[in-house]
Amino acid sequence: MRPITGITILGFRLGVIALALYWIALFLGTHWPAGIDVGPQLNDKVKHFGGYFGLAILCCYVTQSPGNDRRRSARRFLGVIIVLAAYASIDELTQAFSPGRHPDVFDALADVLGILTAVGLYLAARQIVRRFWSPPVPAEAIES
């Protein structure tokens, strides 16, 4: 069975399509005029944390780096953090142009915490999967 990132629709990987649709929905949700509350009734900071947590998970999922090259992997995940943190900041600033909305530094902080938590959990899960589901090492390789 092919991994989900290997499935393509019109030449695009399914993971990339999911990321694009999620990012558009997140942008629209954060720029919706104030007073129109879409979604579950949660604390605003929980919504920001969860929204950017999901975005970071998808970004980690669709980006690639060689599994055995720690330097390139570190750059990959640091890049995800930097790009998404910059986007979160810009996203907060542009909310000033939506009716009834205003930038909030604590919303941006919740966004960044969601990003950092997602990347950290993704890395931890990746290590667990590699440790327990990696192919067994042949006995000949151990003896030599």
Side-chain angles (χ1 to χ4, degrees):
M1 184 169 161
R2 292 188 325 181
I4 193 166
T5 55
I7 299 171
T8 59
I9 298 173
L10 300 173
F12 294 99
R13 291 184 358 218
L14 185 57
V16 173
I17 293 170
L19 172 63
L21 293 175
Y22 186 90
W23 207 323
I24 290 168
L26 184 66
F27 176 82
L28 292 175
T30 58
H31 289 81
W32 206 261
I36 303 172
D37 199 10
V38 179
Q41 299 301 316
L42 297 171
N43 180 305
D44 180 44
K45 305 309 179 251
V46 173
K47 288 181 181 180
H48 278 269
F49 180 91
Y52 278 86
F53 180 92
L55 184 62
I57 289 289
L58 283 170
C59 283
C60 288
Y61 185 68
V62 301
T63 57
Q64 296 177 355
S65 60
N68 56 357
D69 189 347
R70 289 181 183 261
R71 182 170 275 167
R72 287 181 66 189
S73 285
R75 273 189 266 149
R76 166 191 167 193
F77 292 110
L78 185 60
V80 166
I81 291 168
I82 291 170
V83 167
L84 293 184
Y87 174 74
S89 300
I90 293 167
D91 187 47
E92 279 303 314
L93 292 173
T94 58
Q95 286 181 23
F97 302 109
S98 296
R101 292 235 180 213
H102 62 279
D104 184 357
V105 83
F106 293 111
D107 285 349
L109 182 61
D111 298 342
V112 171
L113 288 174
I115 294 164
L116 293 172
T117 303
V119 171
L121 288 176
Y122 187 90
L123 287 169
R126 183 176 150 186
Q127 288 295 74
I128 291 168
V129 166
R130 284 188 175 163
R131 178 167 292 162
F132 293 108
W133 283 283
S134 62
V137 177
E140 298 84 36
I142 295 173
E143 293 174 0
S144 54

